[in-house]
Amino acid sequence: MPEHSQGRTRQSAIGRDLSQSLLALLRSLSQQPCHHADYLLQTLGKALQALLGQLNIDVPEGDPRFSHPGWQATLSQRILQLWYAWQQPLNAWLNGLEMAEHERAQLRWLLEQVAAAVAPSNSLLNPEVLDAARQSRGHSLCRGAHNLWTDLASGRPFAQPNLDTRHLLGRDIACSPGQVIARHAEFELLCYQPLTDRVHNTPLLIVPPPINRFYLLDLTPDTSLIRHALQQGLQVYLISWRNPNPSHCNWGLGRYVSASQRALSECLQHSASPQATLTGVCSGGLIAALLCAWQQAAGRHSQLNALSLLVTPLDTRLQTDLMRLSGPATRQRLRQRVWRDGYLDARSSGALFGWMRPEQLVWIPAVTRYGLGRELKNCPVSTWGHDHTRLPAQLVEDLLDLFDRDPLDQPGSLQLNGEAINLSAVTLPSWHLAARRDHIVPWQNTYPGTRLGGEKVFNLCHSGHIQGLLCPPGHPRAHYQHGPVTCASADAWLATAEAQQGSWWPAWTGWLKRYSGDLINAPTHADGGHGPAPGQYVQQQ
C-alpha cells in the first residue's frame, strides 16, 4: 500500500483519540468556567507584561533555537516573552481540569506540539533567517522554498540531509573488522576480530534492538562501544537483525528469542567456550532478558555467565509522550494496519519518534533547510537516525501487549516458546544502564528492582537515549551514578547512589571482564563464508 495512505491511517487513528480529549475539554468549559477564566486572565496578564517588556522569563540555557545574538534585541525579546507567556500557567491549568488522565496526557502532548510549532524561531521573525536573507539578497529563501518543494514531492516526513552525503557502511561507520559467521532468515551473526594479543576466553554476545540498525554501537572508531570492548580484550559477537518484509509478519517475541538462542549456540560453538556473557540494548535488551528467563525455565541457563542491559524497559508501563498519545483507538487501528501490511513501515516508526522531540528533530532541521536554505549536516548519528527498519506485525502486537499488560511483573503471565516466563527466577548477575533524560525509555522503567533475580548493579548516566550510549572515555561532560540494587524503589536507589565522573564504558567492560574467564591467545578468525562485517542484512532496505 502506498506510504501516503498508511500515513492517513495512522493520523486518523491518533486523531480519533485526540478528538475524544478535545470533546472532554469542551465539556469542561461548562463544568469549570471559573478554572478556564482564571487561566485566561493569567495568560492575558502575562501577555500584557511581555508586550510592555515587564515579563522576566529566562530562555532555557543552551536552547539552539534562540542562540543567535539577534534574539537579544528589544523587539525579539518581547516576541519571545509573549510566546512564553501563554505557556507559563499551562501546567496548573491542565492539572486542574476534571477529566481522565489519558485525556489530560493527550491534551498536554497536543499543546506541546502547538508550542513547538508556533515558536518564533519557526517564522520570518527569526533574526537568523532575516540575517541570512539580507546577506544573500533573498537567495537563502529561494533555496529554502526549493528544498521544501523537493521534500514535499519526495514524500519525506521531515527535513532530512541530502542522501548523497550519507556516510558509507564499512568505510565511515560500522567499520570494526570482523566476519559474518552465520546467516539465517532472521539474523546474521557477526564475529569481530580481536584488537589485543590476549583475550578473555568467555565471549560476549550483543543483542541490538530490532528497530533501527545495530551500528549505533559501532558508529565511528572514536564512538564505537564494540571497538572499546575489543580493546579491553573481550571477544565480541553481535546479532544483525534482518529488515523484515510482509512474508515475515508472524515473527514475534518468541521468534526473536529463539533466534537469539540459536545465535548464542553458534557463538559458543565458534568460540569453543561453554559459556558466554550477554548484553541487550533497548528492545534488544527485552529479548535478551526474555531469553534468560526462557533458559531458566527450560533448564538451559548454564550457557550464560552474566547479563548486562542498556536502556532496557524491564517495567513496560512506559509513561512517555508516545504511550500517552496512543489511546485505544490508535492502538486498534495500528493493529489492523500492521496485520494488513505485514509490518510497521519504517516511515511511520521514524515519524513517531520524531514527534516525541519536535523542537529538536522536526523544527530545527526545518528552519535550517527551509528558512536558511542550507543543507543539513549529515553526521554519523544523523545517518543512523534516518536509517529506520520495519517491524513485523506479530512483534508489534507482542510489544503492545507488553505495554498494555506489563506481564513481566507477573511470573507465568507470559508464555514464550512453550515456557512460562519468570524474570525473578533468573539468577545471573546483571549490570544495568539507564539515561536520566531518556524520552523513549524513562530511567525508572529500566530499574530492575525485584523483577529480576540475581546480584544487580544499576548505573544512571545524565544524557538521553542515544547520546547516553555514545559516551566514550574522555567525553568532557560525562558523569553517571552507580550502585548495587538493594531496594525495590528507583528513587530510593538514587538517594544512595555514588556519583562517578567520566564515561560508563570502562565500568561496563570492567564488570564484564569479571565474568569473562581467563586470558588466552587471541584467535585468528577465518573467513566465515558469508563475507566481512558489517554484513548484508544491515544494508537491506
Side-chain angles (χ1 to χ4, degrees), residues 34 52 185 195 197 246 295 310 326 357 495 513:
C34 294
L52 296 174
L195 297 180
D197 294 333
Q295 284 193 334
L310 312 181
S326 57
R357 281 293 181 269
K513 287 193 286 187

Side-chain angles (χ1 to χ4, degrees), residues 137-457:
R137 297 184 179 181
H139 290 296
S140 61
L141 295 177
C142 293
R143 289 193 301 268
H146 174 75
N147 290 341
L148 178 60
W149 173 257
T150 301
D151 288 355
L152 288 174
S154 64
R156 291 184 178 186
F158 305 120
Q160 297 179 14
N162 191 326
L163 296 179
D164 294 337
T165 65
R166 293 182 63 164
H167 297 78
L168 294 180
L169 287 166
R171 187 196 71 182
D172 308 311
I173 50 181
C175 51
S176 292
Q179 296 290 329
V180 179
I181 62 170
R183 178 175 296 127
H184 300 284
E186 307 91 345
F187 69 94
E188 291 179 329
L189 182 61
L190 277 57
C191 172
Y192 288 95
Q193 192 66 37
L195 297 180
T196 56
D197 294 333
R198 305 270 286 173
V199 297
H200 291 269
N201 62 2
T202 299
L204 164 66
L205 176 62
I206 299 178
V207 185
I211 189 168
N212 286 109
R213 313 288 186 167
F214 78 81
Y215 61 84
L216 180 68
L217 307 175
D218 187 30
L219 201 58
T220 67
D222 293 335
T223 58
S224 171
L225 182 63
I226 289 171
R227 185 175 290 265
H228 174 75
L230 292 168
Q231 290 169 339
Q232 305 310 305
L234 294 172
Q235 296 189 67
V236 180
Y237 293 75
L238 180 138
I239 293 173
S240 174
W241 297 113
R242 181 177 189 165
N243 194 8
N245 59 50
S247 69
H248 307 133
C249 62
N250 290 317
W251 290 4
L253 278 174
R255 183 71 176 250
Y256 279 89
V257 168
S258 62
S260 299
Q261 174 61 49
R262 183 186 303 170
L264 174 61
S265 298
E266 292 176 335
C267 166
L268 296 177
Q269 182 180 3
H270 188 265
S271 62
S273 172
Q275 288 187 315
T277 60
L278 186 66
T279 290
V281 183
C282 194
S283 56
L286 275 175
I287 293 170
L290 291 173
L291 171 61
C292 294
W294 180 86
Q295 284 193 334
Q296 186 74 34
R300 303 180 67 171
H301 53 281
S302 62
Q303 291 182 325
L304 289 173
N305 202 25
L307 170 70
S308 56
L309 300 176
L310 312 181
V311 292
T312 297
L314 292 177
D315 181 347
T316 55
R317 298 166 298 183
L318 301 179
Q319 295 300 310
T320 65
D321 288 343
L322 184 59
M323 291 298 106
R324 286 190 286 262
L325 177 63
S326 57
T330 302
R331 296 192 184 196
Q332 183 58 30
R333 293 294 291 271
L334 177 61
R335 286 184 168 99
Q336 292 173 357
R337 178 164 65 85
V338 297
W339 280 113
R340 184 186 67 238
D341 300 335
Y343 55 77
L344 177 66
D345 64 291
R347 172 178 169 144
S348 293
S349 60
L352 286 173
F353 285 113
W355 287 113
M356 291 176 71
R357 281 293 181 269
E359 64 282 355
Q360 298 175 10
L361 302 178
V362 178
W363 296 112
I364 289 178
V367 169
T368 301
R369 186 161 167 79
Y370 309 138
L372 301 175
R374 299 173 187 164
E375 289 295 340
L376 296 171
K377 293 181 179 179
N378 200 351
C379 62
V381 175
S382 176
T383 296
W384 173 85
H386 290 106
D387 194 5
H388 299 286
T389 59
R390 297 177 288 273
L391 286 180
Q394 186 61 57
L395 182 59
V396 174
E397 185 80 50
D398 291 347
L399 290 175
L400 288 176
D401 178 65
L402 286 182
F403 299 148
D404 288 339
R405 293 196 302 121
D406 188 31
L408 302 185
D409 194 35
Q410 308 161 37
S413 176
L414 180 65
Q415 298 284 324
L416 209 61
N417 298 337
E419 302 291 348
I421 297 302
N422 181 3
L423 283 183
S424 62
V426 175
T427 57
L428 290 171
S430 58
W431 193 96
H432 303 258
L433 175 76
R436 183 182 283 274
R437 297 201 297 271
D438 195 328
H439 64 288
I440 297 174
V441 182
W443 77 268
Q444 293 90 343
N445 291 83
T446 70
Y447 185 74
T450 58
R451 290 186 174 226
L452 194 66
E455 180 182 327
K456 302 176 285 288
V457 178

